[in-house]
């Protein structure tokens, strides 16, 4: 693993800048913003193209606009990106970015490259209120919703870092989006929806709904809206087949138990055999990984066009669980497969860069605590703190 940059850790954010950020505005909001400067309606499309197709980071580069127009825009508006705080590169090509928002809060996004495509794992909140027991993000205290600009900003940052402006029609490094980062996207539905509408717009970032998957722990009342308004693929974090166990692992189950959750899946708009719901199932040793669990899972999902992602648990320090044995994962997967469900085992990626959701952010919080305790600490010793945090979080060999 390599730490590519800590330099930006000390960069001041744009907090206090009175100019309005254009990133994250819907097309109609952008139109209104430009109209407030007296600009004509056709400018909206031009600026949109620069922001989301060309990835412009300044108005100066928008060469299809007359110079005085560019100057006017720069006076009133910004093109706000999150600041890069830490950039970690895994030996397997996975990149993990810790991004700092204008108020100093930090979130993670992760790029996972595959042979002919790549997915970006995007966060929807700073922290998370769900406190799933196996999830590291649930241990973090501070929670707030991300703004549309901060959600879109993660994608802009990834395209910047991957050098993908404008993005080629095929073979993109960033071709897919999974809303599987920090936070519960359906608890921040309006902002997530606005951000995804921007991402799906064919004249901009242009990632289609078929290449976007939103993962929820099961916020039942919002699932239907998500399907009908956005039409994105749905992933559901199931993780257990009895309410007793799921109440423990995913406390949201106490509010929306398994039967209600699965009903909402059955009626998810657009679901059919060619467009299945993904059920995520984290494999926890001796907790949910028996053949009896597999049998019950198959029974529960009967009639739902589904595939099942088996995710070997990503350990973190102090976690009350262990990863299932490979043999247990294999027999579980074989059983589910024989029952007719695709059940790929997710190869753990980025094991050397604090792969578990929220781990990098926690390491950064520890590093800043050290900095606060010893104000004379230098960036070099900060790196040491991050390295110590990494050693502490290294997966068992
Ligand atoms: N709140 C949403 C999305 C974020 S979590 C949800 O719950 O679906 C994305 C996925 O990672 C979820 O399936 C979550 O249960 C899983 N996950 C979280 N921590 C994990 C860990 N340590 N190991 C394996 N999977 C984990």
């Amino acid at each position: 693993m390599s730490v590519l940059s800590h330099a930006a850790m000390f960069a001041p954010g744009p907090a206090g800048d009175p100019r309005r950020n254009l990133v994250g505005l819907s097309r109609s909001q952008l139109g209104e913003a430009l109209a407030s400067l007296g600009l004509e309606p056709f400018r909206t499309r031009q600026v949109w193209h620069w922001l989301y197709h060309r990835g412009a980071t300044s108005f100066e580069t928008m060469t299809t606009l007359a110079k005085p127009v560019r100057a006017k825009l720069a006076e009133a508006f910004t093109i706000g990106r999150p600041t890069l705080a830490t950039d970690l590169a895994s030996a397997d090509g996975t990149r993990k970015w810790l991004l700092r928002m204008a108020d100093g809060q930090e979130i993670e996004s992760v790029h996972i490259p595959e042979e002919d495509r790549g997915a970006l794992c995007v966060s929807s909140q700073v922290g998370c209120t769900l406190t799933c027991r196996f999830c590291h993000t649930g241990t973090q205290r501070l929670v707030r919703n991300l703004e549309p600009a901060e959600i879109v900003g993660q994608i802009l940052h990834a395209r910047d870092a991957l050098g993908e402006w404008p993005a080629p029609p095929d073979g993109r490094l960033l071709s897919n989006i999974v809303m599987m980062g920090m936070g519960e996207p359906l608890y921040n539905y309006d902002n997530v929806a606005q951000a995804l509408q921007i991402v799906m717009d064919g004249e901009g970032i242009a990632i289609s709904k078929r290449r976007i998957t939103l993962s929820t722990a099961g916020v039942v009342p919002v699932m239907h809206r998500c399907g009908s308004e956005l039409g994105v693929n749905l992933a559901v974090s199931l993780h257990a087949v009895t309410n007793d166990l799921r109440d423990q692992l995913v406390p949201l189950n106490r509010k929306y138990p398994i039967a209600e959750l699965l009903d909402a899946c059955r009626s998810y708009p657009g679901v059919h055999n060619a467009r299945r719901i993904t059920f995520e199932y984290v494999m926890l040793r001796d907790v949910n990984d028996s053949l009896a669990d597999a049998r019950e899972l198959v029974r529960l999902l009967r009639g739902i066009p589904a595939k099942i992602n088996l995710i070997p648990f990503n350990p973190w320090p102090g976690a009350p669980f262990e990863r299932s044995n490979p043999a247990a994962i294999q027999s579980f997967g074989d059983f589910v497969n024989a029952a007719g469900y695709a059940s790929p085992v997710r190869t753990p990626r980025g094991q050397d860069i604090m792969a578990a959701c929220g781990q990098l952010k926690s390491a950064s919080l520890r590093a800043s605590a050290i900095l606060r305790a010893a104000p004379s600490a230098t960036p070099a010793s900060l790196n040491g703190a991050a390295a110590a945090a990494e050693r502490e979080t290294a997966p068992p060999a």
Side-chain angles (χ1 to χ4, degrees):
M1 182 215 89
S2 57
V3 177
L4 299 178
S5 143
H6 266 280
M9 272 184 110
F10 306 99
D17 190 332
R19 293 172 300 169
R20 185 171 183 197
N21 185 7
L22 292 187
V23 173
L25 301 186
S26 66
R27 265 200 198 234
S28 58
Q29 290 170 334
L30 179 64
E32 285 160 24
L34 299 186
S36 74
L37 291 190
L39 296 182
E40 311 87 323
F42 76 90
R43 297 287 181 199
T44 309
R45 198 165 173 199
Q46 282 185 321
V47 172
W48 187 272
H49 177 89
W50 280 107
L51 292 178
Y52 297 123
H53 180 74
R54 303 290 298 269
T57 53
S58 78
F59 296 103
E60 195 38 52
T61 58
M62 299 187 177
T63 47
T64 54
L65 305 175
K67 278 211 160 165
V69 174
R70 290 184 240 164
K72 218 169 173 182
L73 287 168
E75 238 168 66
F77 303 123
T78 62
I79 304 173
R81 300 278 213 270
T83 316
L84 178 63
T86 307
D87 179 346
L88 300 179
S90 164
D92 70 15
T94 303
R95 291 278 286 276
K96 191 161 196 167
W97 293 299
L98 189 68
L99 301 177
R100 178 162 315 139
M101 310 292 113
D103 67 352
Q105 288 300 322
E106 291 171 337
I107 49 140
E108 299 176 358
S109 12
V110 183
H111 180 249
I112 306 153
E114 312 258 344
E115 213 153 84
D116 53 348
R117 62 203 180 114
L120 185 71
C121 181
V122 171
S123 293
S124 56
Q125 298 182 307
V126 174
C128 189
T129 54
L130 294 179
T131 62
C132 298
R133 277 191 65 213
F134 51 84
C135 178
H136 194 267
T137 300
T139 66
Q140 293 167 3
R141 224 162 34 88
L142 249 161
V143 183
R144 74 164 171 85
N145 283 334
L146 292 180
E147 296 295 325
E150 296 170 325
I151 299 168
V152 174
Q154 295 172 62
I155 293 132
L156 299 183
H157 170 265
R159 283 244 166 111
D160 291 345
L162 299 167
E164 214 163 48
W165 296 115
D170 298 308
R172 294 178 180 186
L173 295 170
L174 201 181
S175 58
N176 291 57
I177 288 184
V178 290
M179 295 299 305
M180 291 186 186
M182 306 169 75
E184 169 50 51
L186 295 189
Y187 271 166
N188 185 20
Y189 178 75
D190 290 339
N191 292 347
V192 167
Q194 176 149 336
L196 290 182
Q197 300 285 13
I198 292 169
V199 167
M200 294 189 287
D201 187 294
E203 293 183 349
I205 296 169
I207 297 181
S208 95
K209 61 184 183 178
R210 314 219 164 270
R211 291 179 174 276
I212 299 177
T213 300
L214 182 146
S215 178
T216 180
V219 186
V220 167
V222 195
M223 284 166 61
H224 196 274
R225 244 184 105 191
C226 171
S228 61
E229 294 177 357
L230 302 176
V232 295
N233 303 309
L234 186 71
V236 171
S237 297
L238 191 61
H239 305 320
V241 292
T242 64
N243 283 322
D244 271 356
L245 180 60
R246 196 163 189 271
D247 282 350
Q248 300 305 313
L249 297 181
V250 183
L252 184 66
N253 193 68
R254 296 172 201 164
K255 216 165 169 183
Y256 308 115
I258 293 175
E260 280 180 38
L261 175 59
L262 295 183
D263 278 345
C265 291
R266 281 189 190 88
S267 54
Y268 187 72
V271 68
H272 51 76
N273 274 337
R275 204 134 182 270
R276 292 158 188 264
I277 292 179
T278 301
F279 288 89
E280 295 156 283
Y281 198 94
V282 62
M283 299 296 292
L284 306 170
R285 183 181 299 177
D286 298 333
V287 174
N288 64 355
D289 61 353
S290 72
L291 273 182
D293 291 308
R295 197 170 299 121
E296 181 60 9
L297 179 61
V298 166
R299 197 190 66 78
L300 282 176
L301 296 187
R302 198 163 294 152
I304 304 178
K307 61 184 173 213
I308 297 151
N309 273 354
L310 300 178
I311 316 170
F313 171 60
N314 260 323
W316 39 272
F321 301 105
E322 285 174 290
R323 178 180 293 178
S324 298
N325 297 319
I329 300 178
Q330 178 81 36
S331 0
F332 195 105
D334 288 348
F335 185 92
V336 176
N337 225 14
Y341 293 101
S343 55
V345 177
R346 291 287 143 205
T347 322
R349 300 283 303 262
Q351 290 296 290
D352 50 346
I353 54 166
M354 296 180 263
C357 177
Q359 259 185 291
L360 176 55
K361 178 181 169 168
S362 289
S364 166
L365 286 176
R366 281 195 293 276
S368 27
I370 290 168
L371 191 65
R372 273 197 305 278
S376 62
T378 60
S381 60
L382 243 184
N383 273 331
E390 275 152 40
R391 276 194 296 281
E392 192 189 320
T393 54

